[in-house]
């Protein structure tokens, strides 16, 4: 039987790259099959997916060798519109791939490009939205959708082309637990339907494995192993060897001091009865939230998109003014909290660390904060060296921050904050999109930073990732629709993740089925 | 069937035509009453299309600031005669300023001239905002295509509008990130503001380039090819009333422009026809 898609001896080198991104790929997927591709960051899984619908080499400079066949036809001989129609593609970030103002126009964009008549386009839009469980949003503006809804609209947009193969590049990496489940549910519903072949690249294996018929593990552009359903267990040693998430693995236990000891330490920040709404007619983004961060503590701030996490971080950082309630920083009530009053004492790592990078070299980037704060030169030099060492970036200090990997850019941003010698770090989703190895390293760095000065330092860690919270947080504050859904020791609170009041959270990793 | 949400968006050809008509008239008209009527039309359109209080405040601020700056500058620097000084700022014998400028004053005719100029701006600004508020970004693609503009240009314009709010939000975050690391915006005769601008330009530009790359790949992965013909889910069909208004607006603009051109030919002594005498009078007094 002719495979839906196959790669024979495929090699690819990006223009100007020192080494090949793909090095002799031989792989085939049959009609209706779901193939899960995984591997460490930079292993070539995204590149492999892009060769499937001709984005590589037609839209990327580089040299492709070998043969790719779609339904038995040489992909190189298929005109671009037909190739894009045969192989749909879903990108990682739902925000960047939606091009139109409204959902209906977005889904119609592909069939319009194929010059289909309006009646056919309308029919395809309706079908695609139904298959992606997004019909209810047909007339909504794209900007008003949640992350999960945007990704389902992007999925519908790909399905509207009636592809035989659907390539999905980390479709859940930017989504919270609930949104991930929504998109995986939509994929599960279409798995095997009408012979649609699914190729899913994902480093969070546990999320997608239940859907997969085969697991393909890549490393440095080559296939390290192919494991059919029923033999997934055999892949686990390889996943662990590559520093990837192996379903069923328990995260390292946090080495936190008992809560009873921490409770005696002073609160670094204490907030009571915080309320905030963005417009008079809108529901409160935050409604009567009370908690504290004690010295030596990492407090995990969790909840689905729209739960109020970013609002709370914004209020704590002085980016927003609380409409009701009180914030007490370092024992002092600040009725008019402002950015400048916390500068140098509190560091805020924004969700996209790239927006924090503005200097020509990593060293200059890290040195910027101490210079702006007018620290004495000797003290500033020492702080920069310590921060670079602390996050393992000293060997890269002369490089441009935009020339290093995403994980390294994140650490540059973190080092830039640490060089200002803050007492508290507010971190907004620092582990999103990182593979397990990078995530573990970052969490270990954070834990070490707090434990170096437990009388003075603390972290509020906003995350969707239950595993990360369990690994390094002492306590967890879970928000839902702006209100406190749970607050307490992380292990106790997060044991209930994925069910009851915490159903929006991803279940704890130890409970994932292998 | 046109969706209820989409129906709220106007045909881009109608909007472009109305803007062209109002722009032409704003340039051709000189009479204060006629310009006031044009500005009132533009303002009425903007108020009808205004999506909310914030937009209304933006409109009021833009109109107020432009009127103030034009009237203030013209009041001082108006140099046509006759002119009536309402208030003397610096007599001609004032050292330096007086000798250099021949004296500074607030002139009544300058204020009136500035007010007339601000009416031109008010008409075009209000109409431009009204068009922006009623146009669907995706309608631009179909509109530009129907006007035979290159697909690539149309796609760039659509994507730029689509991602403008995201870029603005990123600029805000980049600035906040720098401020939290100690950047001060006040003082320094604008040097700090310039430094702040430089510090956010690099990350925002880098993020925009990265996003543009993804958006281009996303478009390509869905079969977009600027050299190929496209169709549309909602083929553009101008409604009868839109066609009527557009025709009247374009005819009116063409008539005003023609009358003005004939009058200028007459005034400069290049062309005169006795049968056009009533038109010359009307143009001088009303246009």
């Amino acid at each position: 039987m002719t495979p839906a898609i196959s790669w024979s001896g495929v090699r690819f080198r990006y223009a100007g790259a020192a080494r090949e991104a793909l090095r002799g790929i031989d792989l085939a997927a049959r009609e209706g099959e779901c193939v899960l591709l995984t591997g460490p960051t930079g292993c070539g899984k995204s590149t492999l997916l892009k060769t499937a619908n001709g984005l590589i080499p037609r839209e990327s400079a580089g040299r492709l060798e070998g043969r790719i066949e779609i339904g038995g036809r040489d992909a190189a001989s298929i005109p671009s519109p037909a190739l894009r129609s045969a192989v749909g593609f879903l990108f990682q970030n739902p925000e960047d791939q939606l091009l139109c103002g409204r959902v209906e126009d977005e889904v119609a964009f592909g069939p319009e490009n194929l010059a289909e008549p309006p009646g056919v386009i309308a029919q395809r839009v309706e079908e695609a939205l139904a298959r992606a469980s997004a019909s209810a949003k047909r007339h909504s503006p794209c900007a008003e959708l949640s992350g999960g809804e945007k990704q389902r609209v992007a999925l519908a947009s790909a399905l509207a082309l009636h592809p035989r193969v659907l390539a999905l590049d980390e479709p859940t990496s930017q989504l919270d637990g609930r949104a991930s489940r929504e998109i995986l549910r939509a994929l599960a519903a279409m798995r095997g339907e009408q012979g649609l072949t699914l190729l899913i690249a994902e480093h969070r294996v546990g999320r997608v494995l239940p859907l997969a018929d085969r697991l393909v593990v890549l490393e440095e552009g080559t296939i390290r192993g192919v494991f059919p359903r029923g033999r997934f267990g055999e892949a686990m040693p390889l996943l662990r060897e590559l520093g990837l998430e192996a379903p069923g693995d328990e995260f390292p236990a946090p080495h936190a001091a008992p809560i009873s000891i921490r409770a005696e330490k002073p609160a670094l920040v204490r907030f009571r009865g915080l309320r905030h709404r963005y417009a008079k007619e809108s529901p409160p983004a935050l409604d009567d939230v009370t908690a504290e961060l004690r010295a030596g503590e990492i407090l995990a701030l969790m909840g689905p998109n729209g739960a109020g996490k970013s609002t709370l971080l914004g209020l704590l950082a002085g980016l927003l003014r609380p409409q009701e309630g009180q914030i007490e920083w370092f024992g002092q009530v600040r009725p008019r909290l402002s950015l400048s009053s916390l500068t140098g004492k509190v560091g805020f790592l924004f969700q996209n660390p790239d927006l924090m990078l503005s200097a020509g070299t990593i060293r200059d980037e890290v040195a910027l904060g101490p210079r702006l704060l007018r620290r004495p030169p000797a003290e500033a030099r020492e702080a920069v060296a310590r921060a670079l060492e602390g996050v393992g970036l000293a060997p890269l200090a002369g490089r441009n921050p935009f020339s290093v990997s995403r994980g390294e850019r994140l650490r540059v941003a973190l080092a830039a904050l640490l060089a200002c010698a803050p007492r508290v770090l507010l971190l907004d989703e620092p582990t999103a999109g990182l593979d397990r190895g990078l995530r573990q390293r970052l969490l270990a760095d954070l834990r070490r930073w707090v434990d170096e000065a437990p009388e003075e330092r603390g972290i509020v860690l906003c995350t969707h990732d239950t595993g990360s919270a369990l690994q390094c947080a002492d306590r967890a504050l879970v928000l839902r629709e702006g209100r406190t859904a749970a607050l307490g020791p992380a292990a106790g609170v997060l044991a209930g993740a994925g069910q009851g009041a915490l159903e929006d959270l991803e279940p704890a990793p130890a409970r994932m089925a292998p | 069937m046109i969706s209820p949400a989409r129906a709220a968006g106007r045909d881009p050809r109608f909007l472009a035509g109305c803007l062209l008509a109002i722009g032409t008239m704003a340039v051709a008209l000189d009479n204060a009453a006629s310009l006031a009527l044009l500005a009132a039309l533009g303002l009425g359109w903007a108020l009808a299309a205004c999506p909310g209080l914030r937009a209304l405040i933006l409109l009021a601020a833009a109109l107020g600031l432009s009127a103030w700056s034009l009237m203030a500058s013209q009041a001082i620097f108006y140099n046509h005669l006759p002119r009536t000084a309402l208030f003397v700022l610096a007599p001609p014998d004032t050292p330096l300023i007086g000798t250099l400028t021949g004296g500074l004053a607030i002139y009544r005719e300058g204020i009136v001239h500035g007010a007339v100029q601000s009416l031109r701006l008010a008409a075009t600004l209000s109409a431009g905002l009204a068009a922006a508020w009623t146009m669907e970004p995706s309608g631009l693609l179909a509109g530009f295509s129907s006007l035979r503009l290159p697909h690539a240009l149309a796609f760039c314009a659509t994507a730029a509008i689509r991602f403008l709010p995201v870029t603005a939000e990123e600029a805000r975050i980049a600035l906040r990130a720098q401020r939290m690391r100690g950047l001060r915006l006040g003082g320094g005769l604008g040097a700090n503001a310039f430094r702040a601008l430089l510090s956010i330009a690099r990350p925002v530009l880098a993020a925009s380039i990265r996003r543009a790359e993804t958006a281009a790949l996303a478009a390509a992965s869905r079969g977009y090819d600027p050299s190929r013909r496209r169709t549309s889910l909602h083929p553009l069909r101008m409604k009868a009333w839109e066609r009527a208004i557009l025709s009247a607006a374009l005819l009116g603009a063409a008539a005003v422009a023609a009358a003005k051109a004939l009058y200028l030919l007459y005034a400069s002594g290049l062309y005169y026809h006795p049968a056009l005498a009533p038109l010359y009078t009307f143009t001088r007094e009303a246009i």
Side-chain angles (χ1 to χ4, degrees), chain B residues 147-159:
Chain B
L147 294 171
R148 303 281 185 272
L149 283 175
H151 268 313
L153 181 69
F155 180 72
C156 286
T158 306

Side-chain angles (χ1 to χ4, degrees), chain A residues 106 112-113 116 354 365, chain B residues 181 210 222 230-231 233:
Chain A
E106 187 66 41
E112 287 175 342
N113 292 332
E116 297 288 359
D354 292 357
E365 189 64 59
Chain B
R181 285 160 74 189
R210 204 166 282 146
R222 281 150 68 191
R230 297 181 83 242
T231 50
L233 172 61

Side-chain angles (χ1 to χ4, degrees), chain B residues 81-225:
Chain B
L81 295 174
R83 57 183 185 180
T84 314
L86 295 175
F87 182 72
V88 177
L89 298 171
D93 56 356
T94 308
L96 196 64
I97 295 176
T99 47
L100 279 174
T101 62
L104 287 176
I106 300 288
Y107 297 106
R108 193 183 66 192
E109 288 79 2
I111 294 173
V112 173
H113 185 66
V116 170
Q117 299 307 317
S118 68
L119 287 174
R120 285 186 214 281
L121 198 65
T124 49
L125 190 66
S126 305
L129 281 173
W133 287 333
T134 45
M135 193 183 292
E136 280 287 307
S138 47
L140 267 182
L141 200 57
F144 281 160
S145 301
S146 74
L147 294 171
R148 303 281 185 272
L149 283 175
H151 268 313
L153 181 69
F155 180 72
C156 286
T158 306
I161 291 174
R162 157 74 181 85
F163 289 115
L164 201 61
V166 181
T167 305
E169 177 62 16
E170 284 175 348
R172 212 155 54 105
I173 290 172
L175 186 59
R176 283 172 169 181
Q178 298 299 336
R179 287 181 65 198
M180 290 211 71
R181 285 160 74 189
L183 184 75
R184 297 279 176 272
L185 295 178
L189 292 172
N192 285 345
F194 182 67
R195 202 176 301 135
L197 188 67
L198 280 184
S199 69
I200 66 167
R202 190 191 293 247
V204 171
L205 198 63
S208 298
I209 290 170
R210 204 166 282 146
R211 184 177 317 100
E213 200 178 311
T214 308
L217 285 179
S221 75
R222 281 150 68 191
Y224 179 73
D225 182 342

Side-chain angles (χ1 to χ4, degrees), chain A residues 252-336:
Chain A
H255 48 268
I259 296 297
S260 54
I261 294 175
R262 272 182 214 290
E264 291 162 13
K265 293 192 174 171
L268 297 171
V269 59
R270 178 176 282 136
F271 42 97
R272 294 188 195 93
L274 285 187
R275 276 198 178 86
H276 190 84
R277 66 174 80 218
Y278 288 95
K280 268 184 189 171
E281 62 276 14
S282 64
L286 212 59
D287 191 4
D288 194 21
V289 173
T290 298
E292 63 189 9
L293 171 74
R294 296 198 161 267
E297 182 179 65
I298 295 182
L299 175 69
L301 176 57
M302 304 189 72
N305 288 340
K309 305 187 296 294
S310 295
T311 305
L312 179 56
L313 283 185
L315 288 167
L316 294 182
L319 301 173
L320 299 169
R321 294 254 163 87
Q323 287 150 353
E324 274 182 58
Q326 199 178 58
I327 300 175
E328 185 185 306
W329 270 107
F330 310 118
Q332 285 184 318
V333 177
R334 308 260 180 154
R336 289 184 64 79

Side-chain angles (χ1 to χ4, degrees), chain A residues 183-222:
Chain A
I183 200 85
L184 291 173
R185 207 175 293 133
L187 288 174
M190 66 183 67
R191 181 173 159 260
E193 84 173 29
Q194 297 168 357
L196 179 68
T197 302
L198 296 176
L199 304 171
I200 307 177
E202 181 67 66
H203 62 75
R204 316 205 62 168
V205 178
R207 282 182 175 180
V208 188
L209 207 55
L211 282 181
D213 296 306
R214 257 191 311 161
L215 172 65
V216 177
V217 184
L218 291 120
E219 188 196 18
E220 294 186 350
T222 58

